[in-house]
Amino acid sequence: MVALKLDSARTFADHDRLRSRSHSIETNNQLMLSEFNEHSLEEQRAVSLPYRFDIKFLLPVTFLPELLRHFASSHSILQYSGHRVFTHQNTYFDTPDWDLYSQHHNGKLNRFKYRHRRYLETKLEFLEIKVKTNKRRTRKQRIPWRCNQPIEVPDVDFKLVPKLYVNYRRITLWDQETDERLTLDFDILFQRIDAETKVGVPNVLIAECKRADLVKPSRFAQQLKAKKYYPRSISKYCVGVCLTDDSSLKCNRFKGLISELNKY
């Protein structure tokens, strides 16, 4: 078992500097966001999806207004303390030699990710352990963690160190008919822990359906298929590692994805 700890003052300050301005797509869609019925954090927690199927889509951020218009009547939006768009501050851990990234790059099944996630508006913090299984399911464990205090990570016997900041804005919609949760992530920013340069993908929207099963049809996936957008594999962590890399790591597996990101 290994213990993790972060310098919380430095980590939070780094994330604040990383996100120094708002995205125009957000300011231009405030009225549309206000038209959704709301659901609370407590209601959303009541429908837990710790072991689920994830379906991801890579979209131009300019497609966001059309999505919001289409789903305003069928989905509710997460609201907390007056906020309907939330900042996610993620700090990813890896081995000193980037072994977890390399396992993903090399196509290893049953792979793990470890991150500290802070929800800026709610001030909630968690250690999140994500496992992608060879059955296409995602299993996520969340442990409350004030990151200035050490926390022991179960079933880990190798060294983990903070490697990458990933910071984005998120809208969360909920289809209460199917219990499908939809996240819309945009204004995504990356920075290596010990580097000054930040890299962003301001023209990209990453949409994700989170479902307990694949039995009921997804209205969201059907709508995107009609617009000729199809599911694809996307890891924000791997994208961030590649975009901030100095050619010291292999990125061949993700070159097609990076090329697609650059088209937007």
Side-chain angles (χ1 to χ4, degrees):
M1 190 174 291
V2 68
L4 301 182
K5 186 178 180 181
L6 286 172
D7 181 338
S8 58
R10 176 196 167 176
T11 300
F12 299 163
D14 285 349
H15 273 288
D16 287 343
R17 282 192 294 272
L18 189 55
R19 177 160 303 285
S20 58
R21 50 52 182 157
S22 60
H23 195 293
S24 60
I25 197 72
E26 181 177 341
T27 55
N28 293 341
N29 284 278
Q30 289 299 315
L31 180 60
M32 199 173 302
L33 289 168
S34 70
E35 294 175 355
F36 280 79
N37 291 326
E38 67 186 72
H39 68 263
S40 69
L41 194 56
E42 290 70 25
E43 289 173 309
Q44 183 168 291
R45 284 174 176 163
V47 184
S48 179
L49 296 172
Y51 192 49
R52 67 193 188 218
F53 290 100
D54 294 338
I55 308 170
K56 297 180 181 179
F57 298 86
L58 184 63
L59 308 167
V61 74
T62 51
F63 192 55
L64 179 61
E66 182 174 340
L67 282 178
L68 295 177
R69 280 193 299 270
H70 188 86
F71 292 107
S73 59
S74 59
H75 290 59
S76 59
I77 192 169
L78 174 63
Q79 177 167 306
Y80 180 89
S81 191
H83 295 279
R84 293 191 166 197
V85 187
F86 300 88
T87 298
H88 287 218
Q89 298 177 338
N90 302 283
T91 303
Y92 281 84
F93 291 81
D94 209 321
T95 69
D97 293 326
W98 300 91
D99 291 327
L100 300 182
Y101 164 79
S102 296
Q103 288 172 6
H104 193 149
H105 179 276
N106 295 335
K108 184 181 184 298
L109 300 177
N110 295 320
R111 56 184 180 263
F112 290 76
K113 289 192 178 76
Y114 302 89
R115 70 187 176 212
H116 171 261
R117 172 169 286 182
R118 182 180 185 235
Y119 299 87
L120 179 62
E121 289 76 14
T122 66
K123 302 300 186 286
L124 295 173
E125 298 177 57
F126 297 92
L127 168 65
E128 295 190 341
I129 304 170
K130 288 185 70 176
V131 185
K132 189 73 170 184
T133 76
N134 58 7
K135 305 295 185 183
R136 296 196 303 141
R137 281 185 179 267
T138 299
R139 185 171 67 246
K140 185 165 79 170
Q141 181 181 4
R142 306 175 85 206
I143 306 170
W145 177 29
R146 294 292 181 185
C147 67
N148 60 332
Q149 300 295 321
I151 187 171
E152 291 187 337
V153 185
D155 303 317
V156 172
D157 58 1
F158 47 85
K159 186 176 182 180
L160 288 171
V161 294
K163 283 289 197 177
L164 183 75
Y165 296 133
V166 181
N167 188 303
Y168 49 85
R169 297 284 279 168
R170 169 171 286 185
I171 299 165
T172 300
L173 306 180
W174 181 18
D175 183 345
Q176 298 186 28
E177 235 179 66
T178 63
D179 279 335
E180 177 180 83
R181 193 178 305 161
L182 171 62
T183 58
L184 305 171
D185 298 341
F186 62 96
D187 200 11
I188 306 166
L189 302 165
F190 309 100
Q191 185 177 331
R192 295 280 179 102
I193 300 298
D194 295 316
E196 293 296 324
T197 303
K198 68 179 181 181
V199 179
V201 284
N203 300 322
V204 167
L205 172 69
I206 296 178
E208 183 173 357
C209 303
K210 302 176 182 184
R211 332 185 66 214
D213 58 55
L214 297 176
V215 176
K216 299 175 183 177
S218 166
R219 284 188 279 194
F220 179 72
Q222 290 173 335
Q223 171 66 10
L224 289 188
K225 184 178 180 181
K227 297 291 182 178
K228 301 194 182 306
Y229 292 111
Y230 301 98
R232 66 161 306 149
S233 176
I234 308 167
S235 163
K236 295 187 192 74
Y237 176 61
C238 292
V239 167
V241 171
C242 291
L243 290 178
T244 59
D245 186 44
D246 59 1
S247 300
S248 61
L249 294 170
K250 291 182 179 179
C251 292
N252 295 356
R253 184 183 182 91
F254 306 112
K255 281 185 176 179
L257 174 58
I258 300 301
S259 177
E260 193 172 344
L261 287 170
N262 291 333
K263 290 179 183 177
Y264 297 131

